[in-house]
Amino acid sequence: MAHAAQVGLQDATSPIMEELITFHDHALMIIFLICFLVLYALFLTLTTKLTNTNISNAQEMETIWTILPAIILVLIALPSLRILYMTDEVNDPSLTIKSIGHQWYWTYEYTDYGGLIFNSYMLPPLFLEPGDLRLLDVDNRVVLPIEAPIRMMITSQDVLHSWAVPTLGLKTDAIPGRLNQTTFTATRPGVYYGQCSEICGANHSFMPIVLELIPLKIFEMGPVFTL
């Protein structure tokens, strides 16, 4: 999860998030190069006496600064489109979870376990145990296996919500009357936090999402969740 004074993105827990971090670094390097070039050109303009009249007609230079931005846009667009299509792939999921947004809590349904349904509310400050995170911990966590493709079916019962877990690279809108889906494969066990990322009313800030990822063998042996 994020920590105080953090500058970069959260550590990746899924292949999609690893790709997003790589693309972020790739685009950031291009931005740095463009900024350096522009600042260097501004510095030369302010410090150099413009006495050379030959630069008033330079077809080669105009061709270069027309083609070069197009090449830069292609270098950014191609990996971006690749990741965009990767996020839409659904590769034979091992488990399907349905998430329903309410004002202001989440309902989860394990469709592969006989329609097991439970609500997930934020823990009030009075019920927090030592080590719990204020405004982030919930009473019922979503327990999922690692190294297995998981499909999330996301919708809403009242207003727009957004189911987002940054460390997994997930952010999918929950829209009333529409069923959206997203998939992910977690690579590391642990507890990962997210929040509703769509302004949905007065208590929008109090809709945390908590995923507890455990090895597949333990998931198959134990209960799915504990009340």
Side-chain angles (χ1 to χ4, degrees):
M1 60 171 294
H3 56 80
Q6 180 173 336
V7 177
L9 301 173
Q10 298 184 29
D11 293 338
T13 314
S14 68
I16 291 295
M17 189 59 188
E18 292 177 359
E19 293 286 344
L20 289 172
I21 292 176
T22 301
F23 174 70
H24 169 268
D25 297 339
H26 166 73
L28 198 61
M29 185 57 65
I30 294 177
I31 292 173
F32 281 153
L33 293 175
I34 293 174
C35 291
F36 175 79
L37 180 61
V38 171
L39 290 175
Y40 180 69
L42 287 174
F43 175 77
L44 291 182
T45 302
L46 295 174
T47 58
T48 304
K49 295 182 179 180
L50 302 177
T51 57
N52 189 353
T53 59
N54 293 328
I55 63 173
S56 61
N57 186 13
Q59 298 295 331
E60 295 82 4
M61 182 62 69
E62 292 181 4
T63 302
I64 291 174
W65 69 41
T66 301
I67 296 178
L68 188 59
I71 296 175
I72 293 174
L73 290 176
V74 170
L75 293 177
I76 295 176
L78 290 180
S80 175
L81 290 173
R82 173 176 168 270
I83 296 175
L84 184 63
Y85 281 103
M86 286 176 61
T87 58
D88 286 337
E89 291 182 358
V90 180
N91 296 321
D92 192 20
S94 301
L95 185 65
T96 299
I97 308 294
K98 186 177 181 181
S99 175
I100 305 173
H102 306 271
Q103 289 181 312
W104 288 271
Y105 63 96
W106 295 97
T107 297
Y108 296 99
E109 178 181 352
Y110 286 73
T111 59
D112 300 309
Y113 285 81
L116 177 62
I117 303 175
F118 62 92
N119 296 326
S120 180
Y121 291 88
M122 184 193 74
L123 282 177
L126 294 177
F127 292 90
L128 292 176
E129 299 290 339
D132 290 344
L133 299 175
R134 179 177 174 271
L135 302 182
L136 284 178
D137 265 302
V138 296
D139 54 356
N140 293 318
R141 296 175 174 176
V142 182
V143 182
L144 298 172
I146 64 172
E147 298 179 346
I150 307 297
R151 175 171 57 186
M152 295 296 304
M153 311 292 290
I154 300 167
T155 186
S156 173
Q157 195 175 31
D158 37 47
V159 298
L160 290 177
H161 300 282
S162 184
W163 199 85
V165 182
T167 189
L168 292 171
L170 299 177
K171 185 180 183 299
T172 303
D173 288 341
I175 303 173
R178 178 171 178 174
L179 194 63
N180 292 329
Q181 72 173 359
T182 185
T183 58
F184 67 93
T185 302
T187 56
R188 295 183 299 173
V191 179
Y192 302 99
Y193 297 88
Q195 289 178 303
C196 176
S197 297
E198 188 75 39
I199 296 177
C200 55
N203 292 332
H204 157 69
S205 303
F206 309 113
M207 288 185 63
I209 301 164
V210 182
L211 303 183
E212 184 174 346
L213 303 177
I214 60 177
L216 181 59
K217 292 182 179 180
I218 299 177
F219 179 83
E220 292 175 342
M221 293 172 55
V224 175
F225 72 100
T226 302
L227 291 174

